[in-house]
Amino acid sequence: MVLSLNASGLPTAWTGVSFEWYGKLASNPKILSSAWNSIIVGLWSTLIATALGTMLALGVERARPSPARDALLFAPMIIPDIVLAIALLSFFTLIKFTLGLHSIILAHVVFNIAFVCVVVRTRRPSSS
C-alpha cells in the first residue's frame, strides 16, 4: 500500500509521496466500469442469495435430517472455486445461456446460497 504512493511508479526507487496513480486510476473509464460491475454483482448476488438461502435453511430445518441432502447442499463450499466456475461455465454453454453480467450474478448466487444456508441454520429459536 505504501508503494502505491511512490511518485516514481517503480517499486525499487522511492522518489516521494504522490497521489498521481490514484488520479489515473479514477480517470480510467474501463476501471470505473469494472468497479461499477463489481458493485452490481455484489449487491444483486447478496440480495438473491440471502433470500433463497434463508428459505432453503428454513425448509431444510423443517424436513427430516438427511446427510445426503446436506452433502449436496454444501457442495459449493467444499468444491474449489475454479472447479465450480468451470462447471458453471460448461453448464451455461451447454444450455446456450447468454454470458454476461446476469450469468456472473447467477454464478455468485449459486456459490453463496450454501454459506447463507449454513449461517441461518445455526440460529436456533430460544426455547423460553
Side-chain angles (χ1 to χ4, degrees):
M1 190 165 157
V2 174
L3 290 177
S4 72
L5 300 172
N6 188 359
S8 76
L10 299 172
T12 56
W14 182 264
T15 59
V17 176
S18 171
F19 290 96
E20 172 190 2
W21 309 117
Y22 288 102
K24 288 185 178 189
L25 183 72
S27 65
N28 186 328
K30 289 184 178 179
I31 294 290
L32 294 176
S33 175
S34 298
W36 182 245
N37 285 342
S38 294
I39 290 169
I40 290 169
V41 168
L43 287 174
W44 279 108
S45 65
T46 299
L47 290 171
I48 296 168
T50 300
L52 294 177
T54 300
M55 289 188 290
L56 178 65
L58 295 173
V60 166
E61 279 300 305
R62 289 183 180 144
R64 210 175 39 188
S66 169
R69 183 191 57 229
D70 286 347
L72 181 65
L73 289 175
F74 303 133
M77 295 173 64
I78 300 165
I79 298 171
D81 298 348
I82 190 69
V83 173
L84 184 61
I86 292 169
L88 282 168
L89 178 60
S90 300
F91 178 69
F92 290 157
T93 304
L94 178 70
I95 65 171
K96 297 183 181 7
F97 191 73
T98 307
L99 300 178
L101 208 53
H102 57 283
S103 61
I104 295 172
I105 292 169
L106 185 58
H108 279 78
V109 168
V110 167
F111 180 75
N112 291 333
I113 283 176
F115 290 97
V116 174
C117 186
V118 166
V119 172
V120 173
R121 282 181 72 185
T122 59
R123 289 289 301 155
R124 302 260 187 225
S126 60
S127 59
S128 55

